[in-house]
Structures are given as C-alpha cells and as structure tokens.
Amino acid sequence: MLRRGLSVLGRAIREQPRIFAVAVSGSVLFGGLVIASAYVVGAVVGDVVVPAIARGSVGVAALALAAGALFGISVLRVVGIFGRRLGAGYMQFRLQAAYRRQVTRRYLELPLSWHQRNATGTLLSNANSDVEAAWYPIAPLPFAVGTVVMLVGAIASLFVTDWALALVGLAVFPALFALNVIYSRRMAPRQARAQRLRAEVSGIAHESFDGALVVKTMGREAQETARFAARAGELRDALISVGRLRGVFDPMLETLPSLGTLAVLVVGAFRLRQGAITVTDLVSVAFLFTVLAFPVRAIGWVLAELPRSVAGWDRVRRVLDATGEMPYGDVTLDPADLTPATLAFADVGFAYEPAEAHLPGAEVLGEVTFTVPAGRTVALVGPTGSGKSTIAALAVRLVDPHTGTVSLDGVDVRRLTAASLAGTAALVAQVPFVFDDTVRANIALDRPGVTDDDVWAALRLAEADGFVAALPEGLDTMVGERGTSLSGGQRQRLTLARALAGRPRLLVLDDATSAVDPRVEAAILAGLRAPAAGGPAASILVVAYRRATIALADEVIYLEHGRVVARGTHAELLATVAGYADLVTAYEQAEADGEQQPRPYDEVAPLTSGLEVEVDR
C-alpha cells in the first residue's frame, strides 16, 4: 500500500513540479523556523528570563531583542504557511480538474459497448469522488515533505546538543512511523470498500431518479427507497469503521510526541544535574518536541489517506486504461460539397460484446449489404431485434462493424476525421435527448455559422416552428432537464431540427418521429425529400414502422434476424414478401387501435407548458 500510494504521489509531483516546489519551499521554511524558534525560546529562557529572576530586574534591551526575534520568526512562519497552503491547494485542485477532464474525454472516446457495461452512477463516481480521493493526500503532502526535512534537522540539532537527548528523539520518531504504517495497513481495505460503496450508492440514486417515471407508475417508491437505504446503510457502516479505526490511532499518534517531551524532561533533568547540558539546551529540546507534535502529524495525514488515494486512483485508472476506443482517420470529405452523400454497407457483420468476457457475443448483423444512393430515401423495416438500430449506429460510426465496411462517398467511415464524419452524417435517435438549456442552444449547439435564420429553417422542416413560436420566450425558452417542459413529440422534433441545422448530407432517422402524429410525420418526411421546397440536400436512411412513412421511401430494406431478406419498393414487398406484409399490417392495426385511446408518450404536453395542446398541421 505504501509503495502504491507513493507511486500515485510521485505521479502528482511529476505533473506539477513547479507548484510542488513552491509548496515544499514554504513548508521547509516553516520547518526551519520551527527549529529556530525552539532555540530562540531556549535562549530567551536561559539567557534572559533566568538571569533576570536571579538579579531581580529585567533588562529592557535584552527583553526587546528577544521579543523582536520571536516576532520576526513568527512573521516568517506565516509566510511559510501561506506558501505551503497556497501551493498545496493549487496543486490539488489543478490535478483534480485535469483528471476530471481526462476521465470525461476518455468516456467520449470509448465505444458505446463499453458504456453499456458500466453503470452511469459508477461513471459519475469515477469522474467526481474517485478523482477527489486520488488526489486528496496532495493537500498535506508538501507539509509532510517539509516535516521530513524538519525532522532530519531536528535530530541533527539534538545530536549537536546532547547525545542522550538525541537517542530519545531516535526512539520517538521511528515509533511514530511504525504506528502510521500499522494504521495504513488496517485502513486500506476499509477505505477501498468505502470508495466502492460510494459509487454503488451514486449508481442506485441515479438509476432511481432517472427511472422516476417507472418507479412511480409501478408503485415501487417504497422498494426503491429501501434498496437505496440498504446500500446507504452499508456505506454508513463502512465510514463508521473508518472513523473508529481513526479514533483508535489518532490519540496514539497524539500521545507519542507528548511522551517524547516527557522523556526529554526526565533525561534532560538528569543530564542537567550532571552538567552535560544547560537550562537553555533543556528548554530548547523540550520546546522542540512540543512544537514537533503537530507537524509530525502531517506525515500521519498523508499515510492515513494513502489507502483512500490508491482506491480512488485504481478506479480512475480503470477508465483511463480502458481499451476499445475507435480512432479516427485522416481523410476529409470536401466540406464545400453540398450534394447528398452515398452510404454503402458491404458484407457488414456485427456482434455486441458480452457482459462477461468469457461469454460469446450475440450476433446482431450478418453479411448486410445495401446502398443508400445520393439523394434517395431508403427505409429499414423489420421486426424487433432484427438489427435496424444497429445499422443506424453503424451508419454514423457509433460502433464499428466486426466484418465488412461502411462507407460514405466510397470512403470507409473509419478513415474519416471526426469533424468530416460529424459534418457529413447526422443521426436522430429513438429516444430524444434535450439539454437543460434554451431552444436555441439545443438546436445550434454553439456550432459555428448556425444563425437564428438557420435555426428557424430547421424548425420549419421539423414541423416545430409553430409550437416554438408559441413558447413564452420563443427560442430563448428554457426547456428544463431532458426537456421536461415539452411533450415527447416536441422533443423529437427539436432533436430533428438540431440535426437539420448542421446541414448534413446524410440523415439517419432511427424511429425518430414515433411520438408525433402520423400526418405530421408524413409532412416532415415529405419536406425532407423535397430540397426545392426548402428541404436539405441529403440522402435519408429511416427506420420506419408506419405504412405512410414507408411508402415515401424510394426503396425498402426488409430485415429478419440481422440479415437482408428482401428489398424493393413498398408495393413490391407488400405483394411478394409475406413476412413484410404481416409486419406492416400489424403496425398499421396497432396504430389504428392506438388512435382510439390517449397516447402515453406524447401529444398532451405537461402542465409546465401551460396546458398547451398540440394542433398538428
């Protein structure tokens, strides 16, 4: 534990050497002045106070000199404390900020499959409490390093003063270190367990809050509260265990220097009687032991926090060392090309990684081959689990195929730069995600060149300009966390407008209009297919269910069990493929039944939007 902890601290020093040097310089200055103050106090007592008592009078000049010396040392100690604390705090917070950025950047680099294997609460804990824990010992570290220098100087001064008193110091200081080592060994497993439980509590809380709708509608409030309380109770017990151990060792760490001071007085009195030392020497050494008690604790603070630091660092490093990122290439498609892009799948196979490494992955796609020609609309149709959403993810390179290639304008998407891929293709996912920000910010996303005119044009194409114009502050309206002030259909149309505002040359719609009225959906898709009428110059790949939507496509790809079973126009497949006809008919019947009852997901907006009822055009 000591070796691993010092390794973490060594990394911190290598990353912030200048700030660490400033903090240690302040600490060394403080430590040197502590030793100096002990000998000044000894000199004041032995050379000023004792003679004054013997004479029955006080020398004003000597007293003023002593006071000046003590005052000057105190001022310089304040300077040392300021430098030490400022440097240590600055170093600690810089490291925490830097590693929060590294962890977050790593999250964005890792593929979706990695995120799917890790709970959101754990990831939040990695970026927050684990990073804090990893660098927590940085605050007392410069003090501890300065204390080591101070101890070496103190022991050297003890030997200069008297060998017997020096032996007392040599007995006390190793005992302090030994006690700290025992403390660290016992604390390590407790701190590691507490850090793990922090992540689990965070995960349960996030899951419960994120799934509040399910919890409430299923009447699971009591059970979720009990589940959270049980894990929070475990964390409480773990932290109490940490506190109890600290409560046992802290008094011992406090007592040892006091026992050292008592031993110095006993041995020093004996040596004084022998004439080996003077009163000045005895007072100086006794005072030195007294003032060393607090700085020596700094070493204990560092050693005590090493187990927590190692536990936090191990969890942070697990993220930073995770493999599976998808590096981008160096090929750039012509940014001036505004014509629709061509998307091609060639013998694509894909299998999701298993939750456990020793288990085989489940194949999702096999030998999928099709093309979305420039300017054309292709619909993906198939039963649940046939691989439609996976194809949508592959098209914009959220994941990479295990076999075969996915290409844009003849270039493998793995060879494209991140900027070129993002500027060419846009995905509108099944579940709309809206930031807790204004309508304008949600659509523009601070992308250069996206003006308010572009935002309104995108809103018109997404059939969203009407309800946005009716909002209290228009584009400046705050939509709430995840768009809670909007209905499901409104959120879907905002996310569609967000994609359109970037003027993509390929638009991938993964059931992106499922929560809007079929007539509105048809109007949206008709507008997207008609550039002359204001739609984008884009090819469209759409995961579709409704007959009216599918009928707008130039070609339909019918999937079953991750393979292309048939392709053609809607009319051709309806007449020749029984599975396709049954599926489309079933969807149509479900839509018809759904229109007879209130829709659970959309069309009536929440109370926070002023009881607004959507009127679809």
Side-chain angles (χ1 to χ4, degrees):
M1 178 57 63
L2 182 62
R3 177 182 56 80
R4 295 172 63 199
L6 293 178
S7 174
V8 175
L9 298 182
R11 174 183 289 269
I13 295 169
R14 289 192 299 273
E15 293 191 15
Q16 303 289 336
R18 293 182 181 179
I19 301 175
F20 182 71
V22 170
V24 169
S25 297
S27 182
V28 170
L29 175 63
F30 172 81
L33 291 171
V34 166
I35 297 173
S37 65
Y39 283 92
V40 169
V41 169
V44 169
V45 172
D47 300 334
V48 177
V49 176
V50 172
I53 294 174
R55 292 194 309 268
S57 63
V58 178
V60 177
L63 191 60
L65 181 62
L70 291 174
F71 179 76
I73 288 176
S74 298
V75 171
L76 291 175
R77 284 177 64 177
V78 169
V79 173
I81 292 172
F82 180 79
R84 182 194 78 221
R85 289 191 174 181
L86 182 64
Y90 197 65
M91 181 179 176
Q92 182 183 37
F93 297 138
R94 276 178 64 94
L95 285 166
Q96 289 177 354
Y99 274 86
R100 282 195 179 98
R101 289 194 295 269
Q102 288 186 39
V103 168
T104 302
R105 188 181 304 117
R106 192 62 181 155
Y107 285 162
L108 299 177
E109 293 171 348
L110 291 166
L112 287 179
S113 57
W114 185 87
H115 287 270
Q116 290 162 354
R117 295 195 304 271
N118 293 273
T120 303
T122 300
L123 302 185
L124 291 173
S125 179
N126 291 152
N128 187 27
S129 65
D130 290 335
V131 169
E132 286 187 1
W135 306 121
Y136 197 81
I138 297 302
L141 178 61
F143 195 10
V145 173
T147 298
V148 171
V149 175
M150 182 174 61
L151 288 177
V152 173
I155 291 175
S157 64
L158 287 177
F159 273 105
V160 170
T161 302
D162 183 64
W163 64 267
L165 297 179
L167 291 178
V168 175
L170 289 178
V172 171
F173 296 140
L176 278 171
F177 284 111
L179 188 61
N180 273 299
V181 168
I182 296 171
Y183 174 58
S184 297
R185 287 183 175 179
R186 295 197 176 185
M187 182 63 78
R190 290 171 170 82
Q191 288 283 21
R193 182 169 182 267
Q195 201 64 24
R196 175 179 56 81
L197 287 170
R198 282 188 178 96
E200 292 180 8
V201 168
S202 175
I204 293 174
H206 179 274
E207 192 174 56
S208 297
F209 302 153
D210 211 34
L213 179 63
V214 175
V215 172
K216 287 184 173 295
T217 55
M218 296 296 177
R220 301 291 298 174
E221 295 95 333
Q223 290 80 359
E224 281 299 300
T225 301
R227 184 165 75 106
F228 181 82
R231 197 53 52 88
E234 290 184 43
L235 176 58
R236 174 203 62 208
D237 294 341
L239 293 175
I240 289 174
S241 176
V242 169
R244 283 175 177 168
L245 187 63
R246 184 167 290 165
V248 170
F249 276 85
D250 277 0
M252 297 171 66
L253 292 170
E254 290 281 359
T255 301
L256 269 178
S258 300
L259 292 177
T261 303
L262 180 61
V264 163
L265 290 174
V266 171
V267 175
F270 179 74
R271 298 289 289 169
L272 182 62
R273 180 177 299 175
Q274 291 180 331
I277 60 173
T278 65
V279 171
T280 299
D281 295 333
L282 178 58
V283 172
S284 297
V285 173
F287 185 79
L288 182 62
F289 267 78
T290 302
V291 296
L292 280 178
F294 176 72
V296 166
R297 290 302 316 280
I299 300 174
W301 293 334
V302 172
L303 294 176
E305 294 299 335
L306 284 185
R308 180 182 175 188
S309 174
V310 169
W313 173 247
D314 285 346
R315 295 172 64 83
V316 170
R317 191 177 60 184
R318 185 184 67 86
V319 176
L320 299 180
D321 293 346
T323 58
E325 71 275 13
M326 300 185 298
Y328 290 95
D330 55 6
V331 177
T332 301
L333 298 177
D334 185 3
D337 186 357
L338 302 180
T339 61
T342 298
L343 172 69
F345 277 60
D347 296 321
V348 170
F350 182 81
Y352 281 107
E353 295 182 21
E356 299 181 26
H358 65 279
L359 298 176
E363 185 184 63
V364 179
L365 299 176
E367 300 179 351
V368 172
T369 300
F370 70 88
T371 300
V372 180
R376 310 290 279 178
T377 298
V378 173
L380 292 175
V381 180
T384 300
S386 58
K388 304 182 296 296
S389 293
T390 302
I391 289 176
L394 286 162
V396 294
R397 210 193 167 205
L398 292 180
V399 291
D400 280 337
H402 292 172
T403 59
T405 59
V406 178
S407 61
L408 284 171
D409 287 345
V411 180
D412 190 328
V413 293
R414 288 171 288 201
R415 298 177 56 206
L416 294 175
T417 64
S420 185
L421 180 60
T424 303
L427 169 69
V428 185
Q430 287 177 317
V431 180
F433 182 86
V434 181
F435 295 96
D436 185 9
D437 210 329
T438 63
V439 173
R440 177 188 289 104
N442 267 286
I443 296 174
L445 291 182
D446 290 329
R447 287 174 287 188
V450 179
T451 65
D452 279 5
D453 289 340
D454 297 323
V455 170
W456 281 113
L459 287 169
R460 282 192 294 274
L461 280 173
E463 296 288 322
D465 55 322
F467 82 79
V468 171
L471 292 174
E473 298 179 63
L475 293 179
D476 294 316
T477 302
M478 297 292 295
V479 298
E481 185 178 2
R482 295 180 179 266
T484 52
S485 64
L486 304 175
S487 70
Q490 289 172 335
R491 290 195 293 272
Q492 282 195 331
R493 280 177 274 180
L494 280 190
T495 55
L496 176 59
R498 174 194 298 158
L500 295 173
R503 299 183 179 277
R505 297 171 54 218
L506 171 68
L507 187 61
V508 181
L509 306 177
D510 184 7
D511 194 21
T513 53
S514 60
V516 300
D517 187 278
R519 294 183 298 275
V520 177
E521 181 185 39
I524 292 172
L525 292 178
L528 295 178
R529 283 170 47 87
S539 309
I540 301 173
L541 177 64
V542 55
V543 175
Y545 294 93
R546 294 166 174 164
R547 184 191 292 253
T549 305
I550 298 170
L552 291 172
D554 299 298
E555 184 181 23
V556 178
I557 306 294
Y558 178 58
L559 300 166
E560 284 185 358
H561 307 297
R563 284 171 167 73
V564 176
V565 175
R567 62 199 328 151
T569 65
H570 169 62
E572 291 170 349
L573 296 186
L574 200 61
T576 59
V577 181
Y580 177 82
D582 291 342
L583 185 66
V584 172
T585 303
Y587 286 147
E588 193 171 40
Q589 183 60 46
E591 281 290 331
D593 293 341
E595 290 179 358
Q596 305 302 318
Q597 54 188 342
R599 296 182 60 171
Y601 184 50
D602 180 38
E603 302 299 318
V604 178
L607 293 176
T608 51
S609 62
L611 293 177
E612 173 191 1
V613 178
E614 295 184 15
V615 179
D616 293 317
R617 287 182 284 174

